Amino acid sequence: MTMPAWEVGGRSLDSRLLLGTARYPSPAVLEQAIRASETAVVTVSLRRESASGRAGSQFWSMIKALGVAVLPNTAGCKTVKEAVTTAEMAREVFETSWLKLEVIGDDYTLQPHPFLLVEAAEALCRRGFEVFPYTTDDLVIAERLIQAGCKILMPWGAPIGSGQGLNNPYALRTLRARYPEITLIVDAGIGKPSHAVQAMEMGYDGVLVNTAVARATDPVQMGRAFGLAVEAGRRAYLAGAMPTQDLAEPSTPVTGTPFWHSAQPEPGR
């Protein structure tokens, strides 16, 4: 059965997997991984691609040929001014108002700077951007970002590139429950397809993955694995998972036991 389309940021998408484009062994492997994953959105760093000159132009041509939506990001930005300037350049280069907003506050964990992130989000929402802010799983920051005009939030599962998965499932479940109408996409820290399944089973709307695919022994196969994992997790969420319980419960009912079970001879007879 075909999954219903995903409506996000004014667009209709066929996949809930977002795929990063950094750190792949080669452009050819990246292209194959994108195709295998069946993703509908790829993230692109303006700084990295524009700085590479002709290679950046070839990269952009490849992305256009694949027909996927582009989500530019402000990777590496540490100030509001830097993020806003990069965003304006990205809108012109990639011809989209979509923007993954990153304002990094810590060089070791790459944790977003909460105050500058909110300030940058306010400025960019006023400028007409559809802002996808990379944030933590903090409820207060989430509320401030929503007040700033964000309709989409991208809380981390764990630090970028760590592969730790969902470090704080309680916080992520709480965020999902508190904001049922907001599009929530787990971004950063996803290391295995099982992590993606876990996020989707919680009711998250999508998952963004980069390093786990790019640095895999076989990025193409891993891209496919993540595409299937995101779909499986979404289907499981829609189907309604059984609740957990402390006691065992037989999968075969005890009522209606076949007659021959009660007709066995007693011991010693």
Side-chain angles (χ1 to χ4, degrees), residues 53-211:
R54 182 179 178 185
S57 177
Q58 292 174 342
F59 171 87
W60 183 218
S61 297
M62 179 192 73
I63 295 299
K64 284 185 174 180
L66 288 169
V68 293
V70 173
L71 177 62
N73 69 48
T74 60
C77 290
K78 295 183 178 180
T79 68
V80 173
K81 181 178 180 180
E82 198 177 14
V84 171
T85 300
T86 303
E88 293 287 8
M89 293 172 62
R91 179 157 58 180
E92 182 177 347
V93 171
F94 296 111
E95 301 173 344
T96 179
S97 61
W98 278 18
L99 182 80
K100 180 188 171 186
L101 175 61
E102 294 184 24
V103 185
I104 300 301
D106 182 78
D107 291 333
Y108 294 96
T109 63
L110 300 180
Q111 180 172 323
H113 193 301
F115 312 118
L116 300 184
L117 178 67
V118 170
E119 186 179 343
E122 289 174 340
L124 291 168
C125 285
R126 286 197 302 268
R127 286 170 166 79
F129 283 89
E130 187 70 70
V131 179
F132 294 58
Y134 162 61
T135 182
T136 63
D137 50 27
D138 186 275
L139 281 173
V140 177
I141 299 172
E143 180 62 29
R144 289 294 303 276
L145 288 168
I146 293 168
Q147 291 175 359
C150 298
K151 304 179 185 66
I152 300 159
L153 300 179
M154 303 183 76
W156 68 354
I160 293 173
S162 69
Q164 296 177 25
L166 309 186
N167 274 350
N168 195 341
Y170 169 79
L172 290 171
R173 283 195 297 268
T174 302
L175 197 63
R176 176 72 285 176
R178 183 70 62 87
Y179 300 109
E181 303 303 322
I182 296 294
T183 297
L184 297 178
I185 301 168
V186 172
D187 176 20
I190 298 292
K192 303 174 183 177
S194 58
H195 298 156
V197 171
Q198 184 183 6
M200 297 303 294
E201 286 179 343
M202 286 183 184
Y204 273 74
D205 298 287
V207 169
L208 194 157
V209 182
N210 189 167
T211 307

Side-chain angles (χ1 to χ4, degrees), residues 17-21 24 30 33-34 37 39 41-44 207-210 213 223 226:
L17 172 66
L18 293 77
L19 195 64
T21 56
Y24 284 81
L30 168 60
I34 292 173
S37 71
T39 182
V41 180
V42 297
T43 62
V44 177
V207 169
L208 194 157
V209 182
N210 189 167
V213 175
F226 268 102

